[in-house]
């Protein structure tokens, strides 16, 4: 008669906790040893420190510290990203700036303390992976351990008697376990089987993937480059540092790392929804460019769209922005042209491309007294003006009713002071306002073809037309593919280590005192789970069909054999 045993929950006796080889090596986690502090010498302390550094809890702590350490880099302006913002922060926070300098908070990702956390995490992961990998390879090359002497100690256990001989039962059990993808072999009077090695493989894959991600991120940060360039239709760009409007790069990046190429913006095309709730939403947003690779490369034509960059070597050219450049002609009081049909890009302020900027006449202009002077115009451009009395905001992003509003100044623009300034802003420190008849700032709204005549015979400004510009970002991010591979591998490895359970099953078949074969089956998992008893019950039921139960010797008249329970109960 079959018997399924289960014990009441409670503490396991100390003598039953040691199952020998059968209960060992269900994990590749290293055994922790408590240091004998009074006996530790220098070598002992070094070994103890290494064990702590390569432990899982320290690796998780370092990973948490790395995440926390990255927060200042996203909150405080960084010199490697925006030098102007750092300069503004220093002016506004004269007390905090020196403290941040000493702590390295303006260059977090290259600071000593951030690098120390990064390197310690790297070493910790390697020190954790190497011994576990070696141990796991040893387990794969070995065989599942033989069955313990007393299978009744194990958490899941079932038994029955059968008239089949022990050899037949063992052969049937071996075939069944191999069919269920267990690694199985006959060891003495029992079949030993093991399954779930992918749990440890997933665990190791997760740790290796973290190292791949760390290396990829470090590589990407050290050798990355990113630059922006605004190009008016018909204009071009060559991939050299002097051509960029702004440029930032990693610490180990050199100019020789730039891919040699150039391109010209033939035309920007943007179309927008005219009606409905999505009015003004772009339908077409693309740049027609002609590019060439190398000094003598052939011209090729292509279309760059949002999220569809042009890739040349390791560099990607993204289309990131668009705007308008009013075409301006400026004459002095004698009618001499000092700015001839020049397209001046203005920066968008909203989704309808209301734009603002500055028009600067730096050379060639003389005032009515014949003295050299500079002109500056604060410009506002509306691609679709709502008409007289409407707000100074564009009603639509397309060029339906363009209007240019100018505020006029004269004097010194400050461009010769040696201090860098934005081309889109006026430095009014040494500028004077042109005054109208009421003594107020002279300003005017112009449509295409109209002219603004400056007071006192100071000259004129003509709004000739509008051209479009496109903003491009050229990025070089080495290691990004490896970072993606590492992230995917880490997710898969973590899923394997969480959802796959490593477990062992033993099937013992021996001849009892009355000459009838006694079959015992037991299972052991790395952690307490209902899966092991359920799986053992399913295996026992299948094996029972091949080795059916014998009549109970206590009830000879009952020749019915009982089938093992569907699921072996967990002890």
């Amino acid at each position: 008669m079959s018997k399924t045993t289960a014990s009441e929950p409670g503490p396991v006796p100390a003598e039953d906790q040691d199952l020998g080889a059968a209960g060992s090596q269900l994990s590749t986690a290293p055994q922790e040893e408590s240091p004998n502090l009074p006996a530790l010498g220098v070598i002992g302390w070094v070994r103890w420190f290494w064990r702590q550094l390569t432990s899982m809890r320290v690796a998780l702590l370092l990973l948490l510290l790395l995440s926390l350490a990255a927060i200042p880099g996203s909150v405080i302006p960084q010199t490697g990203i925006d030098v102007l913002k750092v300069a503004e922060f220093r002016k506004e926070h004269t007390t905090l700036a020196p403290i941040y300098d000493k702590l390295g908070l303006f260059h977090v990702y290259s600071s000593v303390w951030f690098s120390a956390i990064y390197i310690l995490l790297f070493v910790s992961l390697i020190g954790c992976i190497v011994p576990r990998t070696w141990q796991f390879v040893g387990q794969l090359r070995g065989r599942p351990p033989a069955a313990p002497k007393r299978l009744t100690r194990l958490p899941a256990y079932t038994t029955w008697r059968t008239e089949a001989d022990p050899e037949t039962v063992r052969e049937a059990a071996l075939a069944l376990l191999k069919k269920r993808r267990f690694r199985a072999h006959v060891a003495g009077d029992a079949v030993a089987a093991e399954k779930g090695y992918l749990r440890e493989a997933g665990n190791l894959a997760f740790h290796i993937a973290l190292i791949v991600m760390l290396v990829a991120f470090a590589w990407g940060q050290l050798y990355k480059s990113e630059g922006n360039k605004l190009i008016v239709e018909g204009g071009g760009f060559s991939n050299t540092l002097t051509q960029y409007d702004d440029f930032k790069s990693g610490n180990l990046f050199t100019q020789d790392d730039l891919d040699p190429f150039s391109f010209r913006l033939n035309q920007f095309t943007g179309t927008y929804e005219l009606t409905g709730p999505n009015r003004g939403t772009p339908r077409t947003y693309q740049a027609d460019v002609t590019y060439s690779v190398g000094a003598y490369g052939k011209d090729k034509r292509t279309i760059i769209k949002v999220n569809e960059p042009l890739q040349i070597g390791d560099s990607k050219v993204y289309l990131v922005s668009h705007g308008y450049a009013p075409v301006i002609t400026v004459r002095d009081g004698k009618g001499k042209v000092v700015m001839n049909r020049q397209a001046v890009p203005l920066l968008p302020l909203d989704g309808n491309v209301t734009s603002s900027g500055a028009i600067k006449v730096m050379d060639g202009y003389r005032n009515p007294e014949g003295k050299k002077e500079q002109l500056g115009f604060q410009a506002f451009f509306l691609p679709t003006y709502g008409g007289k009395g409407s707000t100074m905001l564009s009603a639509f992003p397309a060029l339906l009713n363009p209007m240019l509003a100018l505020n006029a100044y004269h004097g010194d623009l400050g461009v010769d002071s040696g201090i860098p300034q934005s081309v889109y802003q006026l430095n009014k420190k040494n500028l004077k306002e042109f005054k109208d008849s009421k003594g107020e700032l002279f300003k005017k709204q112009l449509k295409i073809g109209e002219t603004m005549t400056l007071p006192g015979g100071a000259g004129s400004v003509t709004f000739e037309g509008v051209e479009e510009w496109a903003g491009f970002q050229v990025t070089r991010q080495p290691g990004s593919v490896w970072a993606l591979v590492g992230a995917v591998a880490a997710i898969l490895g973590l899923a394997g280590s969480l959802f796959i359970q490593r477990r062992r099953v033993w099937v013992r078949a021996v001849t009892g005192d009355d000459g009838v074969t006694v079959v015992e089956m037991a299972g052991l998992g790395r952690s307490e789970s209902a899966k092991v008893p359920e799986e053992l019950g399913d295996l026992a039921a299948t094996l029972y069909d091949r080795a059916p139960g014998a009549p109970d010797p206590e009830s000879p008249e009952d020749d019915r054999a009982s089938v093992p329970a569907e699921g072996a109960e967990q002890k």
Side-chain angles (χ1 to χ4, degrees), residues 143-330:
R143 289 186 167 188
K149 215 167 188 183
R150 293 171 54 191
L151 291 178
T152 53
R153 297 188 203 174
L154 300 181
Y157 173 81
T158 188
T159 182
W160 73 93
R161 293 155 45 85
T162 181
E163 294 180 347
D165 60 272
E167 185 66 26
T168 302
V169 175
R170 286 193 290 268
E171 289 178 359
L174 182 64
L176 171 62
L177 291 169
K178 285 186 175 181
K179 185 178 180 181
R180 298 290 181 90
R181 298 195 301 276
F182 279 84
R183 294 179 65 214
H185 70 108
V186 178
D189 60 358
V191 176
E194 189 167 3
K195 191 176 183 180
Y197 285 88
L198 285 178
R199 178 189 180 94
E200 291 303 323
N203 197 0
L204 292 174
F206 172 72
H207 287 80
I208 294 173
L210 285 181
I211 291 181
V212 171
M213 291 171 63
L214 288 175
V215 173
F217 287 144
W219 182 20
Q221 288 296 316
L222 291 173
Y223 290 95
K224 74 174 182 178
S225 66
E226 181 181 298
N228 294 284
K229 179 64 177 178
L230 185 151
I231 304 175
V232 180
E233 287 179 334
F237 167 78
S238 179
N239 194 27
T240 60
L241 290 180
T242 56
Q243 289 276 299
Y244 284 99
D245 295 331
D246 63 82
F247 186 85
K248 52 181 177 287
S249 62
N251 294 337
L252 299 183
F253 174 85
T254 63
Q255 187 170 351
D256 294 335
D257 294 326
L258 290 172
D259 294 304
F261 67 89
S262 61
F263 67 91
R264 181 179 67 255
L265 175 61
N266 301 317
Q267 182 181 13
F268 175 86
T269 303
T271 59
Y272 308 89
E273 290 285 350
L274 294 173
T275 58
N278 294 324
R279 184 176 185 273
T281 302
R283 296 181 60 187
T284 305
Y285 207 80
Q286 62 187 36
D288 179 358
V289 301
T290 300
Y291 72 97
S292 63
V293 181
Y296 306 102
K298 294 182 179 180
D299 286 348
K300 300 178 182 178
R301 198 158 182 171
T302 189
I303 300 295
I304 302 177
K305 300 179 180 179
V306 178
N307 297 326
E308 295 182 18
L310 167 64
Q311 182 162 359
I312 304 173
D314 293 331
S315 300
K316 292 183 178 181
V317 183
Y318 290 90
L319 174 64
V320 294
S321 58
H322 158 257
Y324 297 103
V327 180
I328 302 297
T329 296
V330 181

Side-chain angles (χ1 to χ4, degrees), residues 6 54 140 144 150 180 249 259 332 336 344 472 526 535:
T54 57
L140 289 177
R150 293 171 54 191
R180 298 290 181 90
S249 62
D259 294 304
D332 63 13
K336 178 185 175 182
V344 182
F472 297 92
R526 178 179 173 183
E535 187 173 38

